[in-house]
Amino acid sequence: MKNIIIVGAGQLGSRHLQGVLKYTAEQLTVYVSDPSEEALKIAEERASEVQHNHDVKYISAPDDLPQTADIAIVATNSNVREMVTNMLLEKMQVKHLVLEKVLFQDPESYDRVSNLLKKYGVNTYVNHPRRMTGAYRNIADTIKKKDGRNFFSVVGENWDLGCNALHMLDLFTFLGSSPLKTINLDGVDNTILESKSSGYVGFTGSLTGLLENNDAFVVNSFPGERGALTINASTNGYRWLIQEGGTKTVIELSGENKFEPQQSEFFQDYQSNLTTIIIEELLEKGNCNLPDYETAAHTHKIFINALLEKYNSITNLKELKCPIT
């Protein structure tokens, strides 16, 4: 049987577990590893919600992990992700690796892990699942056929730029088919917020930037009650307004339709279903629609450098790590 490993059995890790257990093509041996007995209990409870015939092992000691893994998913917090990744690759042979974001808190970790992945030849992806969403894939396909500069924006309330802006930056690089070039955090509020995760911080305000092809973007998180995200994308002859929450709609305006609004449903699947697709693609094709490590790390590193500078300017500290996850 193939071995699947999930390190980090908390809220997100347990959803990954549900997704793995929904895989039906063959029986798997699934190892769920976490030093917290409480986290393992949450994972076991959520696993019981899925009918399956897989062999699931819940372990608190890394020494109990197998020597090989067909797929390993690292769903820990960012402050230990490099350490866990090192531990896995030094202990066992991993064929495919999926890392949660934020990848790492300090810029130097990105190059160290890049070298580690190359050393062991591990096929690695980062979990930015909006690339898997049908509406965004359709928009990306349309934009590829158009000439000219594109513009992207997102507006929401209190959704934490520190924790979540990377998802938007990855989405913009996907839609624009271009790497991130620069970001500007002058519009980020000079206030440090407590994150929902203990020991981490959050941010509100606005950041702007450019892709390498000079596509422009704006990301806004205003203070106040948390509300649905609204994302805008525009290119030559096309405009899209995507509401991810609330009405969950995509409104398309195009010259072909004389800019009469065309409305469709926006569907964004749960992680517990997306992980099933990721497992299927990796086991059956050897790749998936998530960004590979180098693609994601390029964006993350630019963002972490800028946010760390902003954090130190607000706090008058000289930290080497940005405490976001």
Side-chain angles (χ1 to χ4, degrees), residues 81-96:
R81 187 164 292 118
E82 181 184 7
M83 178 190 70
V84 169
T85 303
N86 268 284
M87 179 273 294
L88 282 177
L89 299 190
E90 290 175 359
K91 175 180 174 58
M92 69 184 67
Q93 183 178 352
V94 178
K95 188 173 183 180
H96 305 292

Side-chain angles (χ1 to χ4, degrees), residues 199-252:
Y200 300 94
V201 300
F203 298 85
T204 55
S206 301
L207 64 86
T208 61
L210 296 173
L211 306 184
E212 289 285 357
N213 64 1
N214 280 328
D215 286 357
F217 60 82
V218 179
V219 180
N220 300 290
S221 177
F222 300 121
E225 294 288 329
R226 182 160 184 168
L229 289 180
T230 301
I231 296 166
N232 292 273
S234 62
T235 191
N236 184 14
Y238 277 84
R239 311 284 186 272
W240 295 272
L241 186 150
I242 306 101
Q243 184 145 12
E244 290 195 353
T247 60
K248 294 187 177 181
T249 54
V250 179
I251 298 174
E252 178 181 287

Side-chain angles (χ1 to χ4, degrees), residues 93-112:
Q93 183 178 352
V94 178
K95 188 173 183 180
H96 305 292
L97 180 64
V98 178
L99 301 175
E100 271 299 339
K101 65 86 209 162
V102 176
L103 278 168
F104 317 110
Q105 295 179 341
D106 65 295
E108 288 75 18
S109 293
Y110 292 88
D111 292 337
R112 289 196 298 264

Side-chain angles (χ1 to χ4, degrees), residues 120-163:
Y120 290 105
V122 185
N123 185 35
T124 306
Y125 296 90
V126 178
N127 191 35
H128 286 297
R130 279 178 175 81
R131 290 179 179 236
M132 300 172 66
T133 300
Y136 291 130
R137 296 186 68 81
N138 291 337
I139 292 170
D141 288 342
T142 300
I143 288 176
K144 286 177 184 176
K145 301 172 186 175
K146 298 293 179 180
D147 295 323
R149 196 179 185 196
N150 308 308
F151 177 75
F152 311 108
S153 69
V154 58
V155 177
E157 292 81 36
N158 199 24
W159 57 276
D160 189 357
L161 291 176
C163 177

